[in-house]
Amino acid sequence: MREFLLRALKARTTPDFSIDNLEEAGKMHIVARCISNALWVAKGIREDTIMHVNLEGPKFPPKTISFYGEKMRGMKGFAFDEKGIAQFIKLALEKGQDLKLNEDLEVYQGIIVSKKSFESIVKEKSQYMQLIYLHKRGQDIRKFKFKDNILFIFGDFIGIPRKTEYLLERLNAEKVSLGKVDYHASQCITIVQNELDRRYYI
């Protein structure tokens, strides 16, 4: 299983934002683009992928929304664009407003919102998954040996705070590099998916 965890430090955690102005919602268009690139391919949705977006902006952080490709059946062409995906984010934030810490709620088929922090998710996943931190100074992805169950960790345009990097080091997260060029978060997902596709499906 491939899982991705995006930490979006400025993305809003309440549904009071405009679908027509996602940038003002803490760069929510970046979040939507990452979800799209992780899950949608030409002929449908990747059933081998789960996308988690950890939102930490105003007003009630943290909120994490998880998209389970295997369960999102019947949505092949649905919500492929940024505004369509943002509608699901908005729905999740609306229905999850009253969640208590560590509670979760399925708001649509295969879409779960939770009141979980980035740190708690990483600690939980570290018990049974290979943690990969996408970092420019990591090992070249083309030479790296992946296991069967992987969690790819990355930040948005702000990046991952140093304090969080210390946590990842304690949890033995391995650094993997996509090369010398700095890519957008959504592009990083596409590169990772392509690399794994070429290994396992070609």
Side-chain angles (χ1 to χ4, degrees), residues 18 44 108 113-114 125 130 155 168 177 185:
S18 171
Y108 197 85
V113 62
S114 62
K125 298 291 183 180
Q130 181 183 28
L168 295 177
S177 171

Side-chain angles (χ1 to χ4, degrees), residues 10-93:
K10 299 294 184 181
R12 292 192 69 84
T13 49
T14 52
D16 54 341
F17 61 86
S18 171
I19 294 297
D20 295 319
N21 193 355
L22 296 177
E23 186 169 358
E24 289 298 316
K27 307 286 187 181
M28 193 67 78
H29 63 296
I30 294 176
V31 176
R33 202 173 296 159
C34 287
I35 296 167
S36 175
N37 287 7
L39 290 167
W40 272 269
V41 288
K43 295 185 179 179
I45 293 178
R46 291 180 178 271
E47 295 187 4
D48 61 354
T49 298
I50 301 170
M51 179 70 200
H52 309 279
V53 291
N54 175 249
L55 314 177
E56 297 190 4
K59 303 175 183 174
F60 303 111
K63 288 288 174 61
T64 297
I65 308 174
S66 301
F67 297 77
Y68 292 77
E70 186 178 13
K71 299 179 181 179
M72 294 170 64
R73 294 172 182 172
M75 296 175 63
K76 287 186 178 181
F78 194 58
F80 181 77
D81 66 326
E82 292 174 15
K83 287 186 178 181
I85 293 172
Q87 290 281 12
F88 283 106
I89 295 173
K90 199 175 178 74
L91 173 68
L93 294 176

Side-chain angles (χ1 to χ4, degrees), residues 33-164:
R33 202 173 296 159
C34 287
I35 296 167
S36 175
N37 287 7
L39 290 167
W40 272 269
V41 288
K43 295 185 179 179
I45 293 178
R46 291 180 178 271
E47 295 187 4
D48 61 354
T49 298
I50 301 170
M51 179 70 200
H52 309 279
V53 291
N54 175 249
L55 314 177
E56 297 190 4
K59 303 175 183 174
F60 303 111
K63 288 288 174 61
T64 297
I65 308 174
S66 301
F67 297 77
Y68 292 77
E70 186 178 13
K71 299 179 181 179
M72 294 170 64
R73 294 172 182 172
M75 296 175 63
K76 287 186 178 181
F78 194 58
F80 181 77
D81 66 326
E82 292 174 15
K83 287 186 178 181
I85 293 172
Q87 290 281 12
F88 283 106
I89 295 173
K90 199 175 178 74
L91 173 68
L93 294 176
E94 181 179 339
K95 292 193 173 184
Q97 287 185 90
D98 298 324
L99 289 174
K100 293 181 174 58
L101 189 63
N102 294 322
E103 285 186 339
D104 58 51
L105 175 69
E106 186 168 22
V107 298
Y108 197 85
Q109 185 173 310
I111 302 175
I112 295 176
V113 62
S114 62
K115 181 74 173 176
K116 289 184 178 180
S117 68
F118 178 90
E119 290 79 8
S120 66
I121 295 170
V122 172
K123 288 177 182 177
E124 176 187 332
K125 298 291 183 180
S126 70
Q127 302 300 313
Y128 58 92
M129 301 194 80
Q130 181 183 28
L131 300 185
I132 302 297
Y133 174 27
L134 296 180
H135 193 284
K136 199 170 183 179
R137 294 191 180 92
Q139 185 177 342
D140 190 332
I141 190 171
R142 293 184 176 176
K143 300 176 182 178
F144 192 82
K145 185 175 182 180
F146 292 106
K147 297 180 181 178
D148 292 333
N149 296 305
I150 318 160
L151 176 67
F152 293 95
I153 300 162
F154 61 110
D156 59 5
F157 65 102
I158 297 175
I160 297 291
R162 189 67 188 119
K163 182 178 179 181
T164 303

